[in-house]
Amino acid sequence: MHRFNEADAGAAEEALLACCGSHRWALRLTAHRPYPDIESLLAAASEASYDLRPADLAEALADESWMPQPLLGMRAPGSQAAHTALRAAHAAYEARFGHVFVVCLEGVAPEEMLDTVLSSIRTRLANDPDEERLTAADELRRIALTRLEHLVATHSEAGAR
């Protein structure tokens, strides 16, 4: 926590942007430092996530599409047919909603990831755009909190050495 609280504003914002691609979200969390503990930081991050405007959400979702990783679930074990179905589902989702599919997979076992992602995409394809925007925003919030928790824990461990 100390390293995050003491980092210059630019470095703190960059670290936060790796957790959620909304500049408004990152600036808000940076401006409210110092945080007494990780719980306070996570609570502030969650609150800031709920305050994202549609443009902020679009920015964060666009940032997710630039992440240097394959489509969500593609690294999970599974048959070629399942991976083909997953690619098709991702394409259908992006065509329908205009952004990448996001879902928090924290706590999902690797052997369950492909099925979890495929099932989630198929279920959420039935959402209307407004409902899906809310669902995507909540999933993005959960992802950002997980990343933020890992970021602070990693920096704490590195500082303890």
Side-chain angles (χ1 to χ4, degrees):
M1 262 329 294
H2 179 74
R3 285 183 69 190
F4 175 74
N5 283 331
E6 297 300 318
D8 69 68
E13 183 182 346
E14 277 302 309
L16 289 167
L17 285 170
C19 299
C20 176
S22 164
H23 281 83
R24 184 170 177 255
W25 181 86
L27 285 169
R28 180 173 170 179
L29 291 176
T30 299
H32 288 100
R33 293 177 307 153
Y35 295 95
D37 51 42
I38 184 68
E39 291 77 18
S40 299
L41 174 60
L42 293 174
S46 187
E47 182 181 328
S49 295
Y50 286 120
D51 290 342
L52 291 179
R53 298 176 302 213
D56 302 322
L57 177 61
E59 177 185 34
L61 288 169
D63 187 67
E64 289 295 314
S65 70
W66 289 100
M67 292 286 183
Q69 61 190 16
L71 293 174
L72 193 58
M74 290 305 291
R75 288 189 178 159
S79 69
Q80 183 162 349
H83 282 95
T84 299
L86 185 59
R87 275 192 293 281
H90 272 287
Y93 181 93
E94 288 185 36
R96 174 152 167 68
F97 298 112
H99 58 80
V100 297
F101 175 76
V102 292
V103 65
C104 183
L105 295 172
E106 184 71 13
V108 176
E111 63 275 5
E112 296 173 8
M113 283 187 181
L114 193 143
D115 287 339
T116 299
V117 172
L118 189 54
S119 173
S120 284
I121 292 175
R122 287 178 173 163
T123 298
R124 288 170 50 188
L125 276 168
N127 289 347
D128 66 59
D130 290 334
E131 181 181 15
E132 183 53 27
R133 196 170 9 268
L134 292 173
T135 301
D138 190 53
E139 291 296 329
L140 195 59
R141 179 189 62 78
R142 293 176 58 213
I143 291 166
L145 293 177
T146 298
R147 289 175 180 164
L148 184 56
E149 194 167 18
H150 289 196
L151 173 80
V152 173
T154 301
H155 283 285
S156 294
E157 291 167 9
R161 291 181 191 157

